[in-house]
PDB file of all heavy atoms in Angstrom:
ATOM      1  N   PHE A 119     168.465  45.245 247.825  1.00  0.00           N
ATOM      2  CA  PHE A 119     168.123  46.244 248.825  1.00  0.00           C
ATOM      3  C   PHE A 119     169.226  47.309 248.909  1.00  0.00           C
ATOM      4  O   PHE A 119     168.926  48.508 248.928  1.00  0.00           O
ATOM      5  CB  PHE A 119     167.893  45.594 250.195  1.00  0.00           C
ATOM      6  CG  PHE A 119     167.437  46.564 251.224  1.00  0.00           C
ATOM      7  CD1 PHE A 119     166.119  47.003 251.248  1.00  0.00           C
ATOM      8  CD2 PHE A 119     168.325  47.066 252.167  1.00  0.00           C
ATOM      9  CE1 PHE A 119     165.687  47.935 252.188  1.00  0.00           C
ATOM     10  CE2 PHE A 119     167.906  47.992 253.113  1.00  0.00           C
ATOM     11  CZ  PHE A 119     166.584  48.426 253.123  1.00  0.00           C
ATOM     12  N   ALA A 120     170.490  46.882 248.931  1.00  0.00           N
ATOM     13  CA  ALA A 120     171.603  47.842 248.963  1.00  0.00           C
ATOM     14  C   ALA A 120     171.573  48.748 247.733  1.00  0.00           C
ATOM     15  O   ALA A 120     171.840  49.950 247.827  1.00  0.00           O
ATOM     16  CB  ALA A 120     172.936  47.101 249.059  1.00  0.00           C
ATOM     17  N   GLU A 121     171.213  48.174 246.604  1.00  0.00           N
ATOM     18  CA  GLU A 121     171.101  48.951 245.369  1.00  0.00           C
ATOM     19  C   GLU A 121     169.999  50.008 245.496  1.00  0.00           C
ATOM     20  O   GLU A 121     170.186  51.171 245.128  1.00  0.00           O
ATOM     21  CB  GLU A 121     170.817  47.997 244.205  1.00  0.00           C
ATOM     22  CG  GLU A 121     170.943  48.617 242.851  1.00  0.00           C
ATOM     23  CD  GLU A 121     170.877  47.565 241.761  1.00  0.00           C
ATOM     24  OE1 GLU A 121     169.753  47.230 241.329  1.00  0.00           O
ATOM     25  OE2 GLU A 121     171.956  47.083 241.344  1.00  0.00           O
ATOM     26  N   LYS A 122     168.857  49.611 246.042  1.00  0.00           N
ATOM     27  CA  LYS A 122     167.750  50.559 246.215  1.00  0.00           C
ATOM     28  C   LYS A 122     168.117  51.672 247.188  1.00  0.00           C
ATOM     29  O   LYS A 122     167.776  52.835 246.954  1.00  0.00           O
ATOM     30  CB  LYS A 122     166.494  49.833 246.698  1.00  0.00           C
ATOM     31  CG  LYS A 122     165.865  48.962 245.631  1.00  0.00           C
ATOM     32  CD  LYS A 122     164.700  48.156 246.186  1.00  0.00           C
ATOM     33  CE  LYS A 122     164.151  47.215 245.127  1.00  0.00           C
ATOM     34  NZ  LYS A 122     163.079  46.365 245.643  1.00  0.00           N
ATOM     35  N   VAL A 123     168.792  51.329 248.276  1.00  0.00           N
ATOM     36  CA  VAL A 123     169.200  52.357 249.246  1.00  0.00           C
ATOM     37  C   VAL A 123     170.075  53.397 248.549  1.00  0.00           C
ATOM     38  O   VAL A 123     169.887  54.598 248.720  1.00  0.00           O
ATOM     39  CB  VAL A 123     169.925  51.725 250.459  1.00  0.00           C
ATOM     40  CG1 VAL A 123     170.603  52.798 251.314  1.00  0.00           C
ATOM     41  CG2 VAL A 123     168.949  50.915 251.301  1.00  0.00           C
ATOM     42  N   ASN A 124     171.018  52.940 247.732  1.00  0.00           N
ATOM     43  CA  ASN A 124     171.914  53.848 247.024  1.00  0.00           C
ATOM     44  C   ASN A 124     171.155  54.666 245.978  1.00  0.00           C
ATOM     45  O   ASN A 124     171.193  55.897 245.994  1.00  0.00           O
ATOM     46  CB  ASN A 124     173.046  53.054 246.369  1.00  0.00           C
ATOM     47  CG  ASN A 124     173.992  53.917 245.556  1.00  0.00           C
ATOM     48  OD1 ASN A 124     173.611  54.562 244.595  1.00  0.00           O
ATOM     49  ND2 ASN A 124     175.258  53.906 245.940  1.00  0.00           N
ATOM     50  N   LEU A 125     170.465  54.002 245.088  1.00  0.00           N
ATOM     51  CA  LEU A 125     169.817  54.688 243.967  1.00  0.00           C
ATOM     52  C   LEU A 125     168.663  55.583 244.392  1.00  0.00           C
ATOM     53  O   LEU A 125     168.427  56.629 243.786  1.00  0.00           O
ATOM     54  CB  LEU A 125     169.327  53.665 242.938  1.00  0.00           C
ATOM     55  CG  LEU A 125     170.422  52.877 242.211  1.00  0.00           C
ATOM     56  CD1 LEU A 125     169.806  51.798 241.348  1.00  0.00           C
ATOM     57  CD2 LEU A 125     171.315  53.804 241.395  1.00  0.00           C
ATOM     58  N   GLN A 126     167.954  55.180 245.429  1.00  0.00           N
ATOM     59  CA  GLN A 126     166.788  55.952 245.887  1.00  0.00           C
ATOM     60  C   GLN A 126     167.151  56.879 247.045  1.00  0.00           C
ATOM     61  O   GLN A 126     166.264  57.494 247.634  1.00  0.00           O
ATOM     62  CB  GLN A 126     165.652  54.984 246.288  1.00  0.00           C
ATOM     63  CG  GLN A 126     165.140  54.195 245.091  1.00  0.00           C
ATOM     64  CD  GLN A 126     164.195  53.064 245.461  1.00  0.00           C
ATOM     65  OE1 GLN A 126     164.107  52.092 244.740  1.00  0.00           O
ATOM     66  NE2 GLN A 126     163.479  53.140 246.575  1.00  0.00           N
ATOM     67  N   ARG A 127     168.449  56.949 247.358  1.00  0.00           N
ATOM     68  CA  ARG A 127     168.950  57.826 248.421  1.00  0.00           C
ATOM     69  C   ARG A 127     168.200  57.624 249.738  1.00  0.00           C
ATOM     70  O   ARG A 127     167.932  58.560 250.477  1.00  0.00           O
ATOM     71  CB  ARG A 127     168.913  59.290 248.009  1.00  0.00           C
ATOM     72  CG  ARG A 127     169.558  59.623 246.687  1.00  0.00           C
ATOM     73  CD  ARG A 127     171.066  59.403 246.739  1.00  0.00           C
ATOM     74  NE  ARG A 127     171.717  59.865 245.527  1.00  0.00           N
ATOM     75  CZ  ARG A 127     172.155  59.056 244.576  1.00  0.00           C
ATOM     76  NH1 ARG A 127     172.013  57.753 244.693  1.00  0.00           N
ATOM     77  NH2 ARG A 127     172.757  59.533 243.509  1.00  0.00           N
ATOM     78  N   GLY A 128     167.860  56.367 250.030  1.00  0.00           N
ATOM     79  CA  GLY A 128     167.187  56.033 251.269  1.00  0.00           C
ATOM     80  C   GLY A 128     165.687  56.255 251.253  1.00  0.00           C
ATOM     81  O   GLY A 128     165.013  55.960 252.233  1.00  0.00           O
ATOM     82  N   ASN A 129     165.156  56.741 250.157  1.00  0.00           N
ATOM     83  CA  ASN A 129     163.707  56.969 250.048  1.00  0.00           C
ATOM     84  C   ASN A 129     163.021  55.678 249.613  1.00  0.00           C
ATOM     85  O   ASN A 129     162.577  55.546 248.484  1.00  0.00           O
ATOM     86  CB  ASN A 129     163.415  58.100 249.054  1.00  0.00           C
ATOM     87  CG  ASN A 129     163.916  59.426 249.561  1.00  0.00           C
ATOM     88  OD1 ASN A 129     163.540  59.856 250.641  1.00  0.00           O
ATOM     89  ND2 ASN A 129     164.790  60.061 248.791  1.00  0.00           N
ATOM     90  N   LEU A 130     162.943  54.759 250.556  1.00  0.00           N
ATOM     91  CA  LEU A 130     162.387  53.433 250.275  1.00  0.00           C
ATOM     92  C   LEU A 130     160.901  53.408 250.584  1.00  0.00           C
ATOM     93  O   LEU A 130     160.394  54.219 251.343  1.00  0.00           O
ATOM     94  CB  LEU A 130     163.104  52.395 251.128  1.00  0.00           C
ATOM     95  CG  LEU A 130     164.621  52.363 250.997  1.00  0.00           C
ATOM     96  CD1 LEU A 130     165.208  51.371 251.979  1.00  0.00           C
ATOM     97  CD2 LEU A 130     165.045  52.039 249.579  1.00  0.00           C
ATOM     98  N   ASN A 131     160.240  52.436 250.014  1.00  0.00           N
ATOM     99  CA  ASN A 131     158.843  52.226 250.390  1.00  0.00           C
ATOM    100  C   ASN A 131     158.748  50.971 251.248  1.00  0.00           C
ATOM    101  O   ASN A 131     159.700  50.202 251.350  1.00  0.00           O
ATOM    102  CB  ASN A 131     157.936  52.151 249.144  1.00  0.00           C
ATOM    103  CG  ASN A 131     158.290  50.998 248.233  1.00  0.00           C
ATOM    104  OD1 ASN A 131     158.374  49.857 248.683  1.00  0.00           O
ATOM    105  ND2 ASN A 131     158.500  51.288 246.959  1.00  0.00           N
ATOM    106  N   ASP A 132     157.616  50.760 251.884  1.00  0.00           N
ATOM    107  CA  ASP A 132     157.457  49.609 252.770  1.00  0.00           C
ATOM    108  C   ASP A 132     157.718  48.292 252.048  1.00  0.00           C
ATOM    109  O   ASP A 132     158.255  47.357 252.641  1.00  0.00           O
ATOM    110  CB  ASP A 132     156.049  49.595 253.380  1.00  0.00           C
ATOM    111  CG  ASP A 132     155.861  50.696 254.414  1.00  0.00           C
ATOM    112  OD1 ASP A 132     156.877  51.210 254.927  1.00  0.00           O
ATOM    113  OD2 ASP A 132     154.710  51.048 254.705  1.00  0.00           O
ATOM    114  N   GLY A 133     157.372  48.218 250.784  1.00  0.00           N
ATOM    115  CA  GLY A 133     157.587  46.990 250.023  1.00  0.00           C
ATOM    116  C   GLY A 133     159.063  46.638 249.900  1.00  0.00           C
ATOM    117  O   GLY A 133     159.429  45.461 249.955  1.00  0.00           O
ATOM    118  N   ASP A 134     159.918  47.650 249.758  1.00  0.00           N
ATOM    119  CA  ASP A 134     161.360  47.404 249.669  1.00  0.00           C
ATOM    120  C   ASP A 134     161.877  46.762 250.955  1.00  0.00           C
ATOM    121  O   ASP A 134     162.637  45.801 250.917  1.00  0.00           O
ATOM    122  CB  ASP A 134     162.120  48.712 249.425  1.00  0.00           C
ATOM    123  CG  ASP A 134     161.780  49.373 248.104  1.00  0.00           C
ATOM    124  OD1 ASP A 134     161.471  48.650 247.133  1.00  0.00           O
ATOM    125  OD2 ASP A 134     161.826  50.621 248.043  1.00  0.00           O
ATOM    126  N   ILE A 135     161.435  47.291 252.072  1.00  0.00           N
ATOM    127  CA  ILE A 135     161.867  46.767 253.368  1.00  0.00           C
ATOM    128  C   ILE A 135     161.264  45.389 253.617  1.00  0.00           C
ATOM    129  O   ILE A 135     161.959  44.470 254.072  1.00  0.00           O
ATOM    130  CB  ILE A 135     161.513  47.764 254.488  1.00  0.00           C
ATOM    131  CG1 ILE A 135     162.323  49.052 254.287  1.00  0.00           C
ATOM    132  CG2 ILE A 135     161.766  47.159 255.868  1.00  0.00           C
ATOM    133  CD1 ILE A 135     161.905  50.222 255.144  1.00  0.00           C
ATOM    134  N   GLU A 136     160.003  45.222 253.276  1.00  0.00           N
ATOM    135  CA  GLU A 136     159.345  43.922 253.477  1.00  0.00           C
ATOM    136  C   GLU A 136     160.016  42.817 252.668  1.00  0.00           C
ATOM    137  O   GLU A 136     160.132  41.686 253.138  1.00  0.00           O
ATOM    138  CB  GLU A 136     157.852  44.018 253.143  1.00  0.00           C
ATOM    139  CG  GLU A 136     157.049  44.864 254.119  1.00  0.00           C
ATOM    140  CD  GLU A 136     157.184  44.430 255.574  1.00  0.00           C
ATOM    141  OE1 GLU A 136     157.193  43.208 255.858  1.00  0.00           O
ATOM    142  OE2 GLU A 136     157.314  45.326 256.437  1.00  0.00           O
ATOM    143  N   GLU A 137     160.476  43.131 251.458  1.00  0.00           N
ATOM    144  CA  GLU A 137     161.180  42.132 250.639  1.00  0.00           C
ATOM    145  C   GLU A 137     162.457  41.678 251.324  1.00  0.00           C
ATOM    146  O   GLU A 137     162.787  40.484 251.324  1.00  0.00           O
ATOM    147  CB  GLU A 137     161.498  42.698 249.253  1.00  0.00           C
ATOM    148  CG  GLU A 137     160.288  42.829 248.357  1.00  0.00           C
ATOM    149  CD  GLU A 137     160.608  43.542 247.055  1.00  0.00           C
ATOM    150  OE1 GLU A 137     161.802  43.690 246.692  1.00  0.00           O
ATOM    151  OE2 GLU A 137     159.641  43.963 246.380  1.00  0.00           O
ATOM    152  N   LEU A 138     163.189  42.602 251.925  1.00  0.00           N
ATOM    153  CA  LEU A 138     164.407  42.245 252.638  1.00  0.00           C
ATOM    154  C   LEU A 138     164.086  41.383 253.862  1.00  0.00           C
ATOM    155  O   LEU A 138     164.730  40.361 254.099  1.00  0.00           O
ATOM    156  CB  LEU A 138     165.179  43.500 253.065  1.00  0.00           C
ATOM    157  CG  LEU A 138     166.528  43.228 253.731  1.00  0.00           C
ATOM    158  CD1 LEU A 138     167.534  42.692 252.720  1.00  0.00           C
ATOM    159  CD2 LEU A 138     167.058  44.483 254.396  1.00  0.00           C
ATOM    160  N   LEU A 139     163.069  41.776 254.603  1.00  0.00           N
ATOM    161  CA  LEU A 139     162.673  41.015 255.791  1.00  0.00           C
ATOM    162  C   LEU A 139     162.179  39.621 255.406  1.00  0.00           C
ATOM    163  O   LEU A 139     162.499  38.636 256.081  1.00  0.00           O
ATOM    164  CB  LEU A 139     161.607  41.775 256.584  1.00  0.00           C
ATOM    165  CG  LEU A 139     162.026  43.144 257.141  1.00  0.00           C
ATOM    166  CD1 LEU A 139     160.840  43.831 257.809  1.00  0.00           C
ATOM    167  CD2 LEU A 139     163.201  43.027 258.094  1.00  0.00           C
ATOM    168  N   ALA A 140     161.434  39.529 254.323  1.00  0.00           N
ATOM    169  CA  ALA A 140     160.914  38.232 253.864  1.00  0.00           C
ATOM    170  C   ALA A 140     162.046  37.293 253.443  1.00  0.00           C
ATOM    171  O   ALA A 140     161.900  36.071 253.510  1.00  0.00           O
ATOM    172  CB  ALA A 140     159.933  38.429 252.708  1.00  0.00           C
TER     173      ALA A 140
END
Side-chain angles (χ1 to χ4, degrees):
F119 185 77
E121 191 170 87
K122 289 175 184 177
V123 168
N124 177 299
L125 294 173
Q126 295 170 207
R127 309 293 187 256
N129 293 303
L130 305 175
N131 62 53
D132 288 340
D134 297 328
I135 295 169
E136 291 305 319
E137 287 173 15
L138 184 70
L139 298 176

